[in-house]
Amino acid sequence: MNNLSLYGWNDSLFQLKQTSQYKDLFHGRVSAVNKTNYEVITEGGLVLCELSGNVLYGRPLFELPCTGDWIVFQPFDDNKGVIVDVLPRKHTLCRRKSGTISDRQAIASHVDKAFIVQSLDANFSVRRTERFMVQILEENIQPALILTKSDLEFSRYQVNESLKHIASQMPIFFTSILSPETILPVRKFIKHGESIVFVGSSGVGKSSLINALCERTVFLTAEISKSSGKGRHTSTRREMVLMEDGGILIDTPGIREFGLASDNPEALADIFDVSDFAESCHFENCTHVEEPGCAVVKAVKNGLLEQEVYSSYLKLRKESWHFSTSEHEKRKRDKSFARISDEAKRIKKR
Ligand SMILES: Nc1nc2c(ncn2[C@@H]2O[C@H](COP(=O)(O)OP(=O)(O)OP(=O)(O)O)[C@@H](O)[C@H]2O)c(=O)[nH]1
Ligand SMILES: [Mg+2]
Ligand SMILES: [Zn+2]
C-alpha cells in the first residue's frame, strides 16, 4: 500500500479529479514511461498501464502522459490498468523537441523545483545554465544549480564570477558524492512532498546525486557498470523515486541539446540584467539592438553589461521569439485544418 500524499497528492489535485468524467475511477502518478506502457504509482502499489483509445487518439504527442503526470485509470487483472484520463498539468518542464521548429516535448510535470546539474570539469557552461534557467522560470518552477564533482580541481572564484549575473535567480550548490557533507545542504533544500526534476548533460552525475540523496543505490551509474565490465551506464528513461525524508526525485537521461520551448521572449530582459538598463532607453519599445539612445547597448560599450551575457540574451530571445511565433502559426493552421475536416465530414453525411 502506498500513501499517495508522499508522492504529492493533495486537495487541489483531488478537486481537479472531480472535474474528470472518470472521477469515480482510481488515480495514480506516472513514475516512469516505457516504450509500450507506463509505470503508475497507486494506492494499491505499482500498476502497469496502457493508454485507452480516447487518450491515445486525437491528442498531440505533447499531451500524452509524461513522468510526474497524475492520471485516472481503469484497473484490470493484477497490477494492470488502462489510463482513461490525464489530470490537467501544472508546472511542466518542457523543451523544444529536437529536429522540430515548434514542437513541445514534456520532460516532467507537477514539479516544484528543477535542479540544473553540471559537473565542475569541461561540462560547466554558463550559457547552458542560462538556457535551462529560462525554460524553468517560464513554467514557474524554482531552479537550483548543482555543480557536481567538486572533488575535482576547479577555481571556485572563477565559477562564482561567471555566474554572478544569475546568482540572484537561484541557489548554487557545490557537491561531491565523495563528501556526504556537500550533499546535506541539497537534501535540506528539498521540502517534504516536493517534486524535483534533475536535468543536465550525460555523465554529469545526476543519477549519482540522487543515489547520494537517497543514501542507497536507486539508479545505476557509469561507475557501477564499469566495475561489472559492462561499459558505461547511462540513464535511458525519466524515472521517479521517493527520498526517505520526503521529496520526490525525477531522474532524466542526459540532454545533448536543450532547445527552448518558450512563449515569452519579453520575459528574458527581466531574467538577465537587461531590464535595469532598458528603463533608460530612448524608445519605450526599444529592442536593444541598434536603436539610437539604447541604454543596453551603451551598458555593453561601457563594460557594465558583459558582452557574452548580452549576446546570450539576444540569442535566447531570438530562439524564444522564433518558437512562439511558429507555435502560434501552427495553432492557426491546426484550427483551420480542423474546420476543413469538420466541413468535409458534414458534406459526407449529407
Ligand atoms: N569524481 C566524481 N565523480 C562523480 C561524482 N558524481 C558522479 N561521478 C561520476 O560521474 C560518472 C557519471 O555519473 P552518472 O550519475 O551516471 O551521470 P548521469 O548524469 O546520471 O549520466 P546519464 O545517465 O548518462 O545522463 C560516474 O562515473 C560517476 O561515478 C562526483 O561527485 N565526483
Ligand atoms: Mg543517469
Ligand atoms: Zn534599448
Side-chain angles (χ1 to χ4, degrees):
M1 291 297 276
N2 284 317
N3 172 0
L4 288 185
S5 65
L6 293 179
Y7 287 90
W9 183 252
N10 58 28
D11 205 44
S12 68
L13 287 164
F14 174 80
Q15 297 301 337
L16 276 182
K17 190 185 170 191
Q18 300 315 301
T19 64
S20 165
Q21 59 170 315
Y22 301 103
K23 66 179 181 350
D24 297 322
L25 289 177
F26 299 91
H27 61 265
R29 192 167 192 194
V30 176
S31 63
V33 177
N34 298 323
K35 278 220 167 66
T36 56
N37 60 24
Y38 297 82
E39 292 177 25
V40 178
I41 294 174
T42 76
E43 258 162 10
L46 194 72
V47 175
L48 272 187
C49 286
E50 286 164 25
L51 289 180
S52 72
N54 77 322
V55 175
L56 188 58
Y57 302 113
R59 286 200 198 211
L61 214 59
F62 166 68
E63 287 179 22
L64 296 185
C66 70
T67 303
D69 265 330
W70 286 96
I71 55 94
V72 182
F73 71 100
Q74 167 82 62
F76 72 89
D77 288 351
D78 269 354
N79 307 325
K80 288 214 174 84
V82 177
I83 296 175
V84 292
D85 205 1
V86 185
L87 295 190
R89 280 180 183 156
K90 263 200 232 156
H91 308 303
T92 308
L93 184 63
C94 306
R95 68 158 166 164
R96 178 165 49 78
K97 195 163 181 265
S98 37
T100 74
I101 298 171
S102 64
D103 282 354
R104 272 171 201 278
Q105 183 178 25
I107 296 174
S109 66
H110 298 279
V111 298
D112 302 285
K113 289 175 178 159
F115 287 179
I116 304 164
V117 186
Q118 293 194 358
S119 48
L120 286 157
D121 47 19
N123 180 260
F124 176 69
S125 151
V126 183
R127 304 285 89 85
R128 199 180 306 114
T129 308
E130 291 165 345
R131 180 172 282 279
F132 277 119
M133 190 186 74
V134 165
Q135 189 70 46
I136 291 166
L137 289 174
E138 170 142 330
E139 289 296 328
N140 286 318
I141 298 167
Q142 193 184 344
L145 177 61
I146 318 281
L147 298 171
T148 60
K149 312 195 187 181
S150 62
D151 49 282
L152 303 179
E153 205 170 306
F154 71 100
S155 156
R156 194 179 276 243
Y157 174 77
Q158 266 172 17
V159 169
N160 282 331
E161 269 299 290
S162 65
L163 291 168
K164 65 179 190 294
H165 64 297
I166 45 174
S168 64
Q169 308 275 355
M170 57 188 170
I172 300 169
F173 297 94
F174 292 81
T175 65
S176 163
I177 52 165
L178 306 176
S179 328
E181 71 277 7
T182 64
I183 308 294
L184 207 60
V186 182
R187 193 180 296 126
K188 275 202 183 133
F189 180 64
I190 302 171
K191 303 280 172 289
H192 195 84
E194 269 181 353
S195 300
I196 324 278
V197 63
F198 292 63
V199 288
S201 321
S202 183
V204 295
K206 298 177 293 297
S207 304
S208 306
L209 180 63
I210 292 181
N211 288 344
L213 285 165
C214 294
E215 291 181 308
R216 64 195 162 97
T217 304
V218 201
F219 295 126
L220 290 183
T221 63
E223 201 74 329
I224 285 167
S225 50
K226 230 187 263 166
S227 61
S228 65
K230 284 185 191 150
R232 196 176 141 71
H233 181 86
T234 170
S235 309
T236 53
R237 59 180 198 167
R238 306 185 183 110
E239 187 170 357
M240 178 193 288
V241 292
L242 206 58
M243 199 172 81
E244 206 164 284
D245 31 1
I248 302 124
L249 314 183
I250 302 173
D251 193 14
T252 66
I255 295 174
R256 198 170 306 140
E257 184 196 299
F258 189 82
L260 284 190
S262 157
D263 275 333
N264 197 357
E266 306 306 322
L268 273 128
D270 277 341
I271 295 174
F272 287 79
D273 278 341
V274 171
S275 52
D276 295 347
F277 299 109
E279 283 171 11
S280 319
C281 289
H282 181 72
F283 296 107
E284 210 173 308
N285 60 352
C286 185
T287 62
H288 323 307
V289 182
E290 48 195 16
E291 290 91 338
C294 174
V296 176
V297 172
K298 193 171 148 206
V300 177
K301 281 195 183 127
N302 294 344
L304 296 170
L305 179 64
E306 269 175 54
Q307 175 69 49
E308 286 88 13
V309 173
Y310 171 68
S311 305
S312 174
Y313 160 72
L314 289 185
K315 184 166 187 253
L316 293 173
R317 187 181 69 173
K318 189 170 160 197
E319 203 174 313
S320 167
W321 183 82
H322 203 62
F323 179 85
S324 55
T325 47
S326 353
E327 193 178 44
H328 181 71
E329 286 302 312
K330 205 168 63 186
R331 258 190 239 130
K332 258 194 344 210
R333 222 174 32 232
D334 285 353
K335 258 193 198 152
S336 62
F337 179 75
R339 224 174 24 240
I340 294 166
S341 57
D342 282 353
E343 190 69 17
K345 272 183 211 150
R346 266 202 299 281
I347 293 169
K348 241 187 188 169
K349 275 186 193 151
R350 271 188 214 148

